[in-house]
Amino acid sequence: MLTLYDYWRSSAAYRVRIALNLKGLAYQAVPVHLVKDGGQQHSADYRALNPQGLLPLLVDGNQRIAQSLAILEYLEERYPQPALLPRDQGQRAQIRSIALHIACDIHPLNNLRVLQYLSSELGVDAAGKDAWYRHWVTTGLAAVEQGLQQQATELSLGERPGLLEACLIPQVYNARRFNCDLHAYPRILAVVERCNSLPAFINAAPEVQPDAAVVP
Ligand SMILES: N[C@@H](CCC(=O)N[C@@H](CS)C(=O)NCC(=O)O)C(=O)O
């Protein structure tokens, strides 16, 4: 049985939940509350498992893997079918390029600890933090929109979503949570609408996770 250290609102963990569902892999979720108790990701117990102090963390037998993109690539190699990436090398590189843009260039700028640092250490007020958030998310999604326009099909695997959508849908969920205006990104919105009607995405959505009842 696979074990995922998870938090309902973690978009990086949400990527992994989608990928596990797309592959039809059963897993046990262990909730780590990112806010309660000052953030359970900082606890000694969790740090012993993942010194990075971030979610998600996947455990598969004696493998313990942090970093969502490393986890997605591991799942793809270990459980190849159904695939999250196309066979064509060039297409694979294009998809990784967009996924890495989301995971390395957009998401880190709006991560919880970065937002907390802005307010607690640099004295940025709530409006300033929201402006920061929206600036980096919309700038980043503009590049994603252009990348998607160059794709021959709406979904990255033709009729199926894969690794690209596993990264994109959580990022858009975050953007909506912070009221970012997404009207300039029709291709992204079309992909989100299609994916959010599929069971793999419906079942990975933050609001339906068992720990979602525990606020905030
Ligand atoms: N690059 C990492 C990012 C992981 C990450 O930032 N996770 C967030 C949740 S989405 C987290 O654990 N934040 C805790 C914190 O900021 O203290 C990945 O893709 O897994």
Side-chain angles (χ1 to χ4, degrees):
M1 173 67 96
L2 296 159
T3 300
L4 177 67
Y5 288 80
D6 194 12
Y7 179 62
W8 64 292
R9 260 186 177 160
S10 158
S11 55
Y14 187 3
R15 295 172 193 152
V16 176
R17 295 197 299 263
I18 293 168
L20 288 164
N21 292 347
L22 285 171
K23 285 190 173 289
L25 295 167
Y27 67 96
Q28 178 201 8
V30 177
V32 177
H33 202 294
L34 292 186
V35 183
K36 212 166 70 181
D37 310 327
Q40 294 172 346
Q41 72 277 24
H42 304 304
S43 72
D45 283 356
Y46 185 68
R47 291 253 173 185
L49 293 171
N50 179 8
Q52 295 174 9
L54 296 169
L55 290 174
L57 179 75
L58 182 82
V59 180
D60 186 10
N62 58 9
Q63 291 295 330
R64 211 162 56 207
I65 309 161
Q67 289 293 333
S68 60
L69 266 291
I71 296 171
L72 299 192
E73 294 280 358
Y74 169 80
L75 292 174
E76 183 72 347
E77 290 178 7
R78 175 84 176 81
Y79 307 98
Q81 296 303 325
L84 299 176
L85 288 163
R87 293 176 65 86
D88 180 83
Q89 281 181 346
Q91 287 175 11
R92 291 165 85 90
Q94 293 305 329
I95 285 169
R96 287 186 173 118
S97 162
I98 299 176
L100 287 170
H101 181 61
I102 294 169
C104 300
D105 297 328
I106 303 178
H107 177 264
L109 291 166
N110 57 58
N111 189 17
L112 177 65
R113 63 183 179 174
V114 170
L115 299 178
Q116 284 173 339
Y117 187 81
L118 284 176
S119 48
S120 66
E121 300 296 320
L122 302 182
V124 177
D125 63 13
K129 230 169 48 172
D130 284 354
W132 163 283
Y133 189 102
R134 292 199 194 103
H135 172 74
W136 291 117
V137 169
T138 51
T139 304
L141 288 181
V144 173
E145 176 74 15
Q146 284 192 359
L148 294 186
Q149 302 282 1
Q150 282 153 30
Q151 246 181 209
T153 55
E154 195 165 75
L155 298 180
S156 63
L157 299 175
E159 281 310 299
R160 286 194 305 117
L163 183 138
L164 172 50
E165 290 81 4
C167 293
L168 179 59
I169 274 57
Q171 192 60 56
V172 170
Y173 171 86
N174 267 359
R176 284 180 164 157
R177 199 180 143 207
F178 281 79
N179 299 318
C180 296
D181 182 1
L182 302 179
H183 287 98
Y185 315 124
R187 189 73 180 249
I188 291 178
L189 292 176
V191 172
V192 170
E193 195 179 327
R194 276 189 69 176
C195 289
N196 280 341
S197 68
L198 302 172
F201 290 80
I202 293 170
N203 296 329
E207 284 72 21
V208 302
Q209 303 313 302
D211 58 329
V214 185
V215 286

